[in-house]
Structures are given as C-alpha cells and as structure tokens.
Amino acid sequence: MANNIYNLQADTLKAIAHPTRIEILQQLQQGERCVCEIFPALNIEQPNVSRHLSILKKEGIVSSRKEGLKVIYRVNDQRIFKILDLVTEMLKEHWDSRKEAFA
Amino acid sequence: MANNIYNLQADTLKAIAHPTRIEILQQLQQGERCVCEIFPALNIEQPNVSRHLSILKKEGIVSSRKEGLKVIYRVNDQRIFKILDLVTEMLKEHWDSRKEAFA
DNA sequence: TTAATATATAACTAAATATACATATAGACA
DNA sequence: TGTCTATATGTATATTTAGTTATATATTAA
C-alpha cells in the first residue's frame, strides 16, 4: 500500500470506522481501561475486543501498558474524540435537513 | 444494522475511509466538479469514480445536480474537511513521537 | 512446580468491499 | 429518429474484514 497521504488518512479512518471500536474509544474517553473492564461493558467476547484493540493500536490511536496480569489501554490523542464529535454534528445536520424536506 | 449512534458514526466514517474517496473530496474542496472532471484528475476509471461518489452520496456527504449531460457533485458539509485535517494532525504527531523514540 | 487468571493469537467461516468489464440509461443534437 | 456523450449500474472476481472457537502466552500466587 503506497504511503501517500490519502492512504495514511484512509488507514486511520478505517481503524475508527467500526461501531465496536467507536464504543471502545468512548469507554477510553472516561480514562484508562483494562481489557477485563472493556469487554463486559460492551457485552462482547474478550478475543473480539483484543482484536479490535490491536487494530486501534496498530494505527497509533491507542497505547497499552501491562499492570500485573492486566493490560491497560489509553487513547493517544484526544483529537480522535473531536473527530467523532464532528461526525455526530454532521449526522444531526443531515437528519435535520431531511426533516425539513419532509415538513 | 441497528441505528444506534455507533453504527451511524461508523457508516459515515467508513464512507470517508478510502483513499480514492478522500482524493475525490479533496477535489471537491476546490469547488463543484462533474464526474468528467474528477476521473481524469484522479486517473481512474469513470465507473469506479461513479461508484465511490454514490457511496459518499448515500451517506449524505455529497450531493449532485444535473446540468445537461453532466452530473455535478458538491460537498454538503465543510466539517468533512475539518475531520480530514484532524486526521492529518494526528498522523503528524504520531510520526513525530516515533521519530523521538528513534532519536 | 502447578494452577489460575488475563490477554493475545491462530484458524476457520461468513460477510462486506473494491475493482474491472460490459451494458444500460438519459440528455443533447443532427 | 439515430447517434453521440456523460454517467450509472449489473455482474463476476478478488480481497479484506469480522466474529467464533480453540489455544497459546504471560504473570501471579499457592
């Protein structure tokens, strides 16, 4: 995969573009969390969460450290939440303009 | 697909998360463009561009209007560019911190 | 050393996505 | 009407991605 800016941007966006990973990020917005806290909160299998976390980690969106048996994840850059906020704003606007169209 | 916020956010992000579509958006940042201008600029097949545009349109990211034979596309919400800018900033930061690690 | 716990990875299957090529549609105009 | 041009869509194929189950690894503690 050519390392031009479009590919790099797409890779980062792809890493975020999954409902489970967005939900994981939302958990991490409240602070560091170990896998053992994340997967019950999301009510999905532990290996599944580990896979999603490894995708986020590969793209540099989260980092981890070990603490005994636990692996604790954190978000590297708060801008990720600004991105999610912008998406939400866009969705709202889109929804509103559609409502107008039907009003 | 359940219509919860995470799915909606993921759908929007997935629509942007492709190098060709990012490049299309970058073209449209300079103003409205017809398909006939976009596909030569990107040097890809016309049907390919039409498909990518339809994905962006389905998610409400672009709109189109007809003008004679041409179909002219435009971006609906400038926030899309703010999102791409934030991704670029994140990539730079990530790159810089990696450089430090090797310095 | 053995057992228990937390996490990661492998292997498989199913589903989604991207691309290419061919063809269809729709508008302009002779 | 027929033809040309611009765009969209159908279909097949290849690739990627997601989820599940089983298993491996690593750390702690008995």
Side-chain angles (χ1 to χ4, degrees):
Chain A
M1 309 289 157
N3 258 20
N4 60 48
I5 182 66
Y6 304 120
N7 276 286
L8 293 172
Q9 287 177 317
D11 286 342
T12 298
L13 288 167
K14 255 193 294 186
I16 325 171
H18 189 289
T20 300
R21 293 196 286 272
I22 295 173
E23 204 172 352
I24 289 173
L25 290 171
Q26 198 235 237
Q27 288 285 316
L28 295 179
Q29 188 166 23
Q30 301 162 237
E32 298 188 323
R33 291 283 186 278
C34 66
V35 179
C36 62
E37 291 170 305
I38 297 171
F39 83 85
L42 271 62
N43 197 32
I44 61 178
E45 311 296 322
Q46 173 270 315
N48 199 356
V49 167
S50 280
R51 300 274 257 72
H52 284 302
L53 283 166
S54 80
I55 290 166
L56 291 170
K57 191 175 178 178
K58 180 159 150 278
E59 291 305 321
I61 294 163
V62 302
S63 300
S64 65
R65 65 186 165 82
K66 283 201 97 163
E67 200 168 272
L69 280 177
K70 300 180 177 177
V71 178
I72 298 174
Y73 284 85
R74 66 179 173 281
V75 166
N76 283 335
D77 190 326
Q78 295 294 312
R79 279 177 275 228
I80 207 78
F81 301 118
K82 181 67 186 160
I83 290 172
L84 291 171
D85 286 348
L86 285 165
V87 171
T88 305
E89 286 177 32
M90 288 178 60
L91 285 167
K92 275 193 196 137
E93 186 119 333
H94 189 220
W95 178 251
D96 288 348
S97 66
R98 284 175 149 268
K99 270 204 308 191
E100 270 165 42
F102 285 87
Chain B
M1 311 284 164
N3 259 22
N4 59 49
I5 182 66
Y6 304 121
N7 276 286
L8 293 172
Q9 287 177 316
D11 286 343
T12 297
L13 288 167
K14 254 192 294 186
I16 323 170
H18 189 289
T20 301
R21 292 196 287 271
I22 295 172
E23 205 172 351
I24 289 173
L25 289 171
Q26 199 233 238
Q27 289 284 319
L28 295 179
Q29 188 167 22
Q30 300 162 235
E32 297 189 322
R33 290 285 184 278
C34 67
V35 179
C36 59
E37 291 170 306
I38 298 170
F39 84 85
L42 271 61
N43 197 32
I44 61 178
E45 314 295 324
Q46 172 271 315
N48 199 354
V49 167
S50 280
R51 264 193 212 287
H52 284 302
L53 283 166
S54 80
I55 289 165
L56 291 170
K57 191 175 179 179
K58 181 158 151 279
E59 291 305 321
I61 293 163
V62 303
S63 300
S64 66
R65 66 187 165 82
K66 282 201 100 160
E67 199 167 273
L69 282 177
K70 300 181 179 179
V71 178
I72 298 173
Y73 283 85
R74 66 181 172 281
V75 166
N76 284 335
D77 190 328
Q78 295 293 313
R79 277 177 277 227
I80 208 80
F81 301 118
K82 181 67 186 160
I83 289 172
L84 290 171
D85 287 347
L86 285 164
V87 171
T88 304
E89 287 178 30
M90 287 178 61
L91 285 167
K92 274 192 197 138
E93 184 120 333
H94 188 218
W95 179 251
D96 288 347
S97 65
R98 282 172 151 270
K99 270 203 306 191
E100 271 165 43
F102 284 87

